[in-house]
Amino acid sequence: MSAPRHPIAIIAGAGVLPLEIAQAARRMGHGVFIVALRGSADSRLFTDFPSVELRIGQLGAMLDTLQTRQITRVAMVGALTRPALSDLRPDAGMLRRLPRIIQAYRGGDDHLLSRVIAIFEDCGLTVMDLREIAPDLVAPQTTLSRTAPRERAIGDARSGFRLLDTIAPFDVGQAVIAINGRIVAIEGAEGTDGLLDRVAAMRSSGRLRDARGKGVLVKAAKPGQDMRIDLPTIGPVTIAGCARAGLAGIAVRAGEVLLTDRQKMIEEADAAGLFLTGMNSGG
Amino acid sequence: MSAPRHPIAIIAGAGVLPLEIAQAARRMGHGVFIVALRGSADSRLFTDFPSVELRIGQLGAMLDTLQTRQITRVAMVGALTRPALSDLRPDAGMLRRLPRIIQAYRGGDDHLLSRVIAIFEDCGLTVMDLREIAPDLVAPQTTLSRTAPRERAIGDARSGFRLLDTIAPFDVGQAVIAINGRIVAIEGAEGTDGLLDRVAAMRSSGRLRDARGKGVLVKAAKPGQDMRIDLPTIGPVTIAGCARAGLAGIAVRAGEVLLTDRQKMIEEADAAGLFLTGMNSGG
């Protein structure tokens, strides 16, 4: 008889994705323990799971808690607000690791997160790929909506994937919007919702004259991205944003993008007449 | 005694740049005739020059006017609002060329403008490089402001130039903003003012936590860009936008970017403590 596996700790940032990952991990037979990060995570979501709420600065307390529970595998899920150093108030366990952490505050998000992984691994933890613990949240290579993308939309999606692959070394956004063969918006630090709002505003102001119902939100991971962190994610709010922006639909790269609340997304895409499709790497 | 050269026609879109180009061309000894495009150009600016006001759809009338004045050289200056096809109301001279023009409405701006050049050249006109007729408006390879860029800002500028060169084939924006080694915003169809507004908004909302006085607006032409059209341009409004966005300054690629109202730009940059510098291609 094999010993029961030790639980997985989910280090939870903002949004419902940490909860969805926790539920998916439980469906896969994993025990789950939640570390809700104060100021980012909504700890009320996790009443169904054993959990602790900690500040980012309490790295020492987190490590102690995990050790007590014999947890060695962690997953990091959900957006973190990058705290100002002055708000960090590190505990003793964190202070010992502070020089590395300060280094992590320079450079792009990839850089920051890969340092965080390195710090966790220094502490004897294994950081898991979210696709492994929650495979049923990953975008499949198929069209999920009732509407399928038309030829022009597929062309727009391909342009978008090419641009995303091209800018990947710069560690910037993971989404673009292409309309009728033209890239009209590239995501930066504003995020995908901001990107969609911008296109909606450019439509309203007449800066974009293309007919509504044209254009594609294109989203993918960076080639070579560490898939343990910061997987691109879309959810019902993305559908609503695409509808406001007057797009035809959403193309994500299959196997690389997480879908939160998939059933609701599909229903809302169908209600808005948008397509939602997972495409392979070649486009 | 050589015959006097025929005048140059400036096909004027929005902004004061057409006037500045006209004045610079006159300083270079050129005769100047203005074609002010209704709905885009401010025809009141040109009282000091012979001029005609026409709709974009009056291509035939424009060609007739230029022929009567023995004008064969034109320059296109200033932003055009891409009119909806339904607003075009082409005259007879334009109708004959309509199939080519309709083609020009698909694809990115480069595509559109290179078609316009091809149409003009079909009609026996030569489209001139703005740098040739107005060399004193082109950014020199030097720092124009009292403040010079610091080492980190130079690094940000280099990242920005690399990114701009990388995305050039996609015919998207010609500006990015880099802060402390990180690209935070890439220009799309919203234009440079919109780009700066976005960074200002991300600072206000706390989405960007970098200290004010950091970061660079980086602007360049696309490698291989046809320098007769759509040269990237900055002016006093760009300085104001950078100040609102809390940047350290502006780096443009020398020889590729037009500076409008240069003296006012420099004064306002100095008043705001911003640097304004032209860098060479290698950064």
Side-chain angles (χ1 to χ4, degrees), chain B residues 162-184:
Chain B
R162 273 197 306 276
L163 176 53
L164 287 171
D165 289 351
T166 304
I167 64 172
F170 293 92
D171 186 19
V172 57
Q174 298 179 302
V176 301
I177 293 172
I179 303 181
N180 283 338
R182 182 177 172 218
I183 304 282
V184 299

Side-chain angles (χ1 to χ4, degrees), chain A residues 172-188:
Chain A
V172 59
Q174 297 178 302
V176 301
I177 292 172
I179 304 180
N180 283 337
R182 183 177 172 217
I183 304 281
V184 300
I186 305 176
E187 183 183 302

Side-chain angles (χ1 to χ4, degrees), chain A residues 38-215:
Chain A
R38 191 168 295 163
S40 294
D42 181 354
S43 60
R44 293 166 304 179
L45 291 175
F46 305 110
T47 49
D48 209 21
F49 294 88
S51 70
V52 63
E53 191 178 9
L54 295 170
R55 288 183 298 103
I56 288 179
Q58 292 177 287
L59 178 64
M62 186 188 83
L63 293 171
D64 292 345
T65 302
L66 299 186
Q67 194 167 33
T68 304
R69 292 172 175 263
Q70 295 188 286
I71 294 174
T72 59
R73 294 177 303 164
V74 302
M76 297 192 292
V77 192
L80 287 189
T81 306
R82 192 190 268 236
L85 274 179
S86 55
D87 292 339
L88 200 54
R89 290 183 290 132
D91 66 12
M94 189 164 198
L95 274 174
R96 285 201 307 276
R97 297 168 180 94
L98 209 52
R100 263 196 110 132
I101 294 165
I102 287 170
Q103 273 190 305
Y105 264 70
R106 301 190 167 272
D109 279 335
D110 265 7
H111 194 68
L112 174 66
L113 289 166
S114 53
R115 294 295 177 110
V116 171
I117 287 190
I119 292 163
F120 283 172
E121 288 180 340
D122 276 356
C123 302
L125 298 171
T126 301
V127 179
M128 296 189 71
D129 187 329
L130 296 183
R131 298 174 303 175
E132 189 185 331
I133 60 179
D136 55 355
L137 296 187
V138 178
Q141 186 183 329
T142 187
T143 294
L144 296 167
S145 54
R146 206 178 305 129
T147 305
R150 303 170 76 126
E151 197 181 335
R152 181 158 277 268
I154 291 170
D156 282 345
R158 289 194 170 127
S159 302
F161 287 127
R162 274 197 305 275
L163 176 53
L164 288 172
D165 289 350
T166 303
I167 64 174
F170 293 92
D171 187 17
V172 59
Q174 297 178 302
V176 301
I177 292 172
I179 304 180
N180 283 337
R182 183 177 172 217
I183 304 281
V184 300
I186 305 176
E187 183 183 302
E190 77 280 8
T192 303
D193 297 338
L195 179 79
L196 289 166
D197 288 346
R198 180 156 86 248
V199 170
M202 288 194 283
R203 291 247 206 221
S204 302
S205 71
R207 192 158 189 123
L208 287 179
R209 301 280 189 112
D210 307 272
R212 289 184 67 84
K214 305 278 183 208

